[in-house]
Amino acid sequence: MEPSFAVGCLWFLVIAFMFFAQHHVCDAYFVPAINVFVGKMKKSSNKWLQRWGDEAVAGATICALGCNGPEMFTNLISLYTGSDAGIGVVVGSEIFNLLIIVGLTISAAPVVPLALERVPFARDCFFYALSIALLYWALLDRAIESYEAWVLLAAAVLYVCCVCFTGDLVNAIPALRPPERASEVEGSGSPKKKGKMHGIEVSVEEILHARMADAHGGDAEKWSVDPTAHGIYAEPQEGKEATESKSNARQSIGFQFDVKDAMPKPQWLGAVLKYKDLQEVVLMEMGVINLEFYHNLQHITLRLTVEGPDQRDQLLKNIKEYSLGRPWVHGYDATIVGAWQHLRHTITAKDMPLIQRLLVVPEFLIDSLLRGTLFAVDVKDVTKENRWPLCFAGAMFWLAIFSFFMLEIANQIHYNIPALPNSFLGITVCAIGTSFPNAVASVLMAQQNKPAAAIANALGSNVQNVFLAMALPWVIYQLQHDGKPINQNVAGINEGVVWMCGTLVLVIAFVLMPPFCKLSYAYGPILVSVYLAYLVLTSGETFGWWPPLDLGDLEGADEALDKALALSGRPKTEGSHAFVERERES
């Protein structure tokens, strides 16, 4: 079949479907399995296992797999298919995360300037700079040697150890300790918030459906849940006097927008979780009720635990009254029947948002495929939580499959539109597609009054993007091929590494400017504008509007390697620093 520009454009719709499929796997199976693992580690009697339940440690290790899973599998699959898009996806995601995610987080924060936690921020900046330096070193000869991949993977272990013991270091040095919050003093370590809802005793757990977000609710404390006809409010139970003194500072479950002295900004969900956004009430096992709130691309679950069946029936009756009977009340079905029921409800519902109606068919196709294969290990059914390893493995399998198809579709786009090389598609289109859910999650966390956590997650994700999403696939591939060097002669990658370094320097400069260790509102639009400039420059170089940036010695080393390899007649995969020097001498 001859190349066709129109066919190439149609392939963009298919690759968008692959992005949506990857996000759905993470949302519905990968992250829930990780959450179960973290929860079980928190409850473990072994102190060392309890460290894996710590949010910071889990975020730097197993949660990093959930966050960077699409990028990691894309890089792994590209090694076996020979695609140039794999490493481009990782490098492009790094730039997207630091500019777009940090920029949007600052813009969405309810209180600015945005204060950062100094020790974790300094730690993550150091390791991100180290990851860039090691990546530059590994790519200098356009080939990844076995020892280079192992050095990057060892740096991942070092980073995890530093994250694991950061809390101990801060506690040992009083000057590094941040101000204590009341919730930290009184908390018991459980993510559930206990109180009354419509007069019924419940435990409330918030679940934000997003890869990069802090999946469960924050500090442990008792809350007074106050559902009204307009929405669901909550405020801490701090005693009558404290409650009366803060009568004008009401907070929403998980989404704390009405902060005192906050700058007024438009919010996606408004000041509270609203009953008009409550679309499903899912009856789970063992007295658990899930309230599913949808608003455009956002999905938030309030998991309510009620002790007895009578209380649950009364609570459901009250919820139905306040929500005017709009939500779809049903039991959870992990099989393909549940996917069909969700499709039928979305099509027939009266108040369903337009964007959900548009996504209902692709979601049904993906959901049917996943439910048909993973129904027996679906940890969203609380009776199957002990099967989380199988759910985790199944999600990894489907992530690998969708990553393979994404790369194959990128090849089809390049075939039909030769002006778009695979390397360009990887570093721009695929990077944006795989990282966009992270951007939405970070905006939600910023609106949740956790902007510092969103920025920390973006930096930590970038560190593990290099150490895991790049190095781990390289190690796996080389173990299967006797340590054979991996060619990384990919256009635009060297320039992308320079952009990674430049964006980090820009963010650090903003942090060091007065007010120290705070980010002002103006920095948000600046970072987003820099990313748009990066896209324009990269596109112009790809289409030949202007020459590539002069990267000095880095590009000179690349050209020297190409000439040396051409003279020797040896394949590029055999390149190494020693080989370059040997060929130069000859």
Side-chain angles (χ1 to χ4, degrees):
M1 182 178 178
E2 293 295 324
S4 169
F5 181 82
V7 173
C9 292
L10 291 177
W11 278 114
F12 274 102
L13 297 178
V14 184
I15 202 171
F17 177 76
M18 289 299 110
F19 299 150
F20 185 70
Q22 288 179 325
H23 172 61
H24 192 73
V25 172
C26 290
D27 181 15
Y29 295 94
F30 210 175
V31 172
I34 290 172
N35 290 338
V36 172
F37 165 79
V38 173
K40 288 184 177 296
M41 293 302 101
K42 284 183 178 180
K43 299 175 183 178
S44 174
S45 57
N46 187 302
K47 292 184 177 180
W48 287 102
L49 291 180
Q50 288 177 2
R51 284 188 177 270
W52 288 89
D54 180 80
E55 292 178 0
V57 178
T61 54
I62 191 167
C63 290
L65 288 177
C67 182
N68 300 325
E71 290 88 349
M72 183 181 68
F73 281 105
T74 299
N75 192 28
L76 179 63
I77 298 299
S78 69
L79 297 177
Y80 292 92
T81 61
S83 173
D84 288 341
I87 189 174
V89 171
V90 182
V91 172
S93 297
E94 300 278 289
I95 301 170
F96 181 92
N97 287 348
L98 206 61
L99 293 177
I100 293 296
I101 290 182
V102 175
L104 293 182
T105 297
I106 297 171
S107 300
V111 179
V112 287
L114 169 59
L116 301 175
E117 296 183 17
R118 299 184 180 185
V119 175
F121 180 79
R123 177 201 64 205
D124 290 341
C125 283
F126 169 78
F127 274 97
Y128 186 38
L130 177 64
S131 71
I132 296 172
L134 291 177
L135 182 61
Y136 176 93
W137 163 72
L139 293 174
L140 194 59
D141 60 351
R142 291 190 177 184
I144 304 299
E145 301 288 346
S146 178
Y147 70 90
E148 293 171 337
W150 280 105
V151 167
L152 286 170
L153 198 58
V157 177
L158 177 62
Y159 174 66
V160 171
C161 293
C162 288
V163 172
C164 185
F165 294 103
T166 296
D168 297 330
L169 176 65
V170 171
N171 291 331
I173 304 176
L176 297 179
R177 295 177 190 172
E180 288 188 343
R181 296 173 296 178
S183 57
E184 292 175 342
V185 177
E186 299 172 2
S188 61
S190 171
K192 295 183 178 180
K193 301 168 183 177
K194 298 181 179 180
K196 287 188 176 182
M197 181 172 183
H198 294 299
I200 306 297
E201 290 282 349
V202 295
S203 293
V204 184
E205 183 181 3
E206 174 214 357
I207 302 175
L208 176 60
H209 297 270
R211 284 186 284 150
M212 187 174 285
D214 180 11
H216 290 279
D219 306 312
E221 52 188 321
K222 292 184 177 180
W223 287 60
S224 295
V225 186
D226 181 19
T228 70
H230 303 289
I232 299 176
Y233 293 90
E235 63 181 11
Q237 295 179 349
E238 300 174 346
K240 184 176 180 180
E241 294 181 0
T243 303
E244 290 176 355
S245 65
K246 295 187 178 182
S247 59
N248 295 324
R250 283 199 155 183
Q251 304 161 327
S252 65
I253 282 282
F255 288 82
Q256 183 177 330
F257 296 148
D258 293 342
V259 183
K260 187 177 181 180
D261 299 328
M263 293 178 61
K265 293 185 177 67
Q267 305 294 349
W268 292 2
L269 286 176
V272 291
L273 292 178
K274 298 177 181 178
Y275 270 123
K276 71 179 185 64
D277 293 324
L278 176 61
Q279 296 185 14
E280 293 185 41
V281 178
V282 187
L283 309 182
M284 311 294 285
E285 303 289 339
M286 297 182 292
V288 176
I289 303 174
N290 283 353
L291 305 184
E292 306 290 347
F293 291 84
Y294 292 86
H295 188 84
N296 295 333
L297 295 177
Q298 301 167 77
H299 180 193
I300 301 98
T301 298
L302 289 189
R303 176 168 292 177
L304 312 178
T305 302
V306 188
E307 292 186 359
D310 294 338
Q311 290 89 339
R312 189 176 78 163
D313 292 343
Q314 184 61 42
L315 179 59
L316 290 173
K317 179 180 178 181
N318 293 339
I319 291 174
K320 181 178 180 180
E321 177 183 352
Y322 277 94
S323 62
L324 304 180
R326 285 191 299 257
W328 173 38
V329 181
H330 63 97
Y332 181 70
D333 191 335
T335 67
I336 194 173
V337 175
W340 171 253
Q341 292 174 343
H342 182 75
L343 171 68
R344 185 175 59 182
H345 166 71
T346 304
I347 293 176
T348 58
K350 296 181 179 179
D351 300 327
M352 192 65 60
L354 177 61
I355 190 168
Q356 279 192 249
R357 293 186 186 276
L358 295 176
L359 295 176
V360 63
V361 174
E363 183 180 6
F364 171 73
L365 295 176
I366 299 167
D367 207 24
S368 298
L369 190 63
L370 297 177
R371 287 177 185 251
T373 55
L374 302 178
F375 65 91
V377 296
D378 188 352
V379 296
K380 295 189 297 297
D381 183 346
V382 294
T383 61
K384 301 173 183 175
E385 286 189 346
N386 289 331
R387 303 176 187 177
W388 69 265
L390 296 175
C391 184
F392 184 85
M396 292 182 70
F397 169 79
W398 280 114
L399 269 181
I401 295 297
F402 291 137
S403 297
F404 170 79
F405 281 113
M406 184 186 73
L407 291 174
E408 289 300 307
I409 295 167
N411 290 335
Q412 290 297 320
I413 294 175
H414 171 58
Y415 173 77
N416 287 279
I417 310 178
L420 297 177
N422 281 342
S423 56
F424 172 77
L425 292 172
I427 209 167
T428 55
V429 177
C430 294
I432 295 174
T434 56
S435 300
F436 180 75
N438 290 344
V440 175
S442 296
V443 170
L444 290 177
M445 292 181 72
Q447 293 179 336
Q448 192 182 358
N449 205 29
K450 294 182 179 179
I455 292 178
N457 280 351
L459 277 172
S461 175
N462 273 12
V463 173
Q464 294 294 49
N465 236 347
V466 175
F467 291 154
L468 283 180
M470 284 189 181
L472 186 58
W474 290 340
V475 169
I476 293 174
Y477 182 84
Q478 289 175 328
L479 287 176
Q480 294 181 333
H481 294 82
D482 300 323
K484 181 180 179 181
I486 302 172
N487 171 42
Q488 290 296 344
N489 184 23
V490 180
I493 296 303
N494 295 331
E495 186 177 329
V497 173
V498 174
W499 271 94
M500 289 167 57
C501 183
T503 54
L504 176 61
V505 170
L506 179 63
V507 171
I508 293 177
F510 284 161
V511 173
L512 295 179
M513 293 172 62
F516 179 72
C517 214
K518 293 183 179 181
L519 293 172
S520 300
Y521 179 75
Y523 297 155
I526 292 175
L527 293 174
V528 174
S529 300
V530 171
Y531 184 75
L532 296 178
Y534 162 74
L535 290 182
V536 171
L537 287 173
T538 304
S539 301
E541 293 169 4
T542 301
F543 300 130
W545 298 339
W546 45 73
L549 296 177
D550 183 10
L551 300 180
D553 293 339
L554 181 59
E555 291 298 335
D558 293 337
E559 293 175 5
L561 174 63
D562 289 340
K563 291 178 181 179
L565 293 175
L567 289 173
S568 67
R570 294 170 67 178
K572 292 179 179 179
T573 53
E574 294 182 9
S576 67
H577 296 288
F579 172 70
V580 174
E581 295 301 323
R582 186 169 62 251
E583 293 300 326
R584 281 176 175 172
E585 293 176 0
S586 63

